[in-house]
Amino acid sequence: MNKNEDFITLLYNISKHITTDKLEAMKFLSKKVIPPAEMEKLTTPLAVLNALADAGHLTENDTNNLDTLLSQLGLEHVRTNLLQKYRGKRYSGCLFS
């Protein structure tokens, strides 16, 4: 899977807002997508987000699952500030305005 740089940056920026408690919740919510043996190896929010992307659950063209995950984690401010901005830039065709 070839994720573009803007999507990778989005995942990185989101990961900076995920606390240890939210990380555990995110891992729990992702247990149907990421096999348990792989999940045990994931120790950072970015690692979990990348594993979800590698599994095809999060994609640069369809951010609905990411939107849902952020909502379930109670990260509305991240959803609003980062994800909506990413979506707006993708749809406007200008990612670096």
Side-chain angles (χ1 to χ4, degrees):
M1 180 175 164
N2 185 13
K3 297 173 278 191
N4 77 26
E5 291 180 25
D6 296 308
F7 187 66
I8 293 168
T9 300
L10 172 68
L11 295 182
Y12 173 76
N13 288 334
I14 288 172
S15 75
K16 294 191 302 184
H17 295 274
I18 299 174
T19 63
T20 302
D21 290 340
K22 297 290 185 190
L23 172 62
E24 292 308 313
M26 182 170 60
K27 289 170 83 171
F28 177 79
L29 293 168
S30 303
K31 66 183 180 181
K32 292 183 180 178
V33 179
I34 302 171
E38 184 180 344
M39 187 70 80
E40 289 178 22
K41 299 174 189 174
L42 305 176
T43 59
T44 66
L46 185 58
V48 176
L49 291 170
N50 281 328
L52 289 168
D54 290 342
H57 193 69
L58 305 179
T59 69
E60 64 185 285
N61 295 319
D62 182 359
T63 56
N64 291 331
N65 288 329
L66 183 55
D67 191 324
T68 299
L69 180 62
L70 293 173
S71 291
Q72 290 173 327
L73 293 172
L75 296 172
E76 293 298 324
H77 66 289
V78 175
R79 191 177 146 265
T80 302
N81 293 334
L82 296 176
L83 185 56
Q84 297 301 331
K85 184 184 284 187
Y86 171 80
R87 284 177 171 165
K89 287 181 179 181
R90 281 212 39 90
Y91 293 127
S92 73
C94 181
L95 291 169
F96 300 103
S97 59

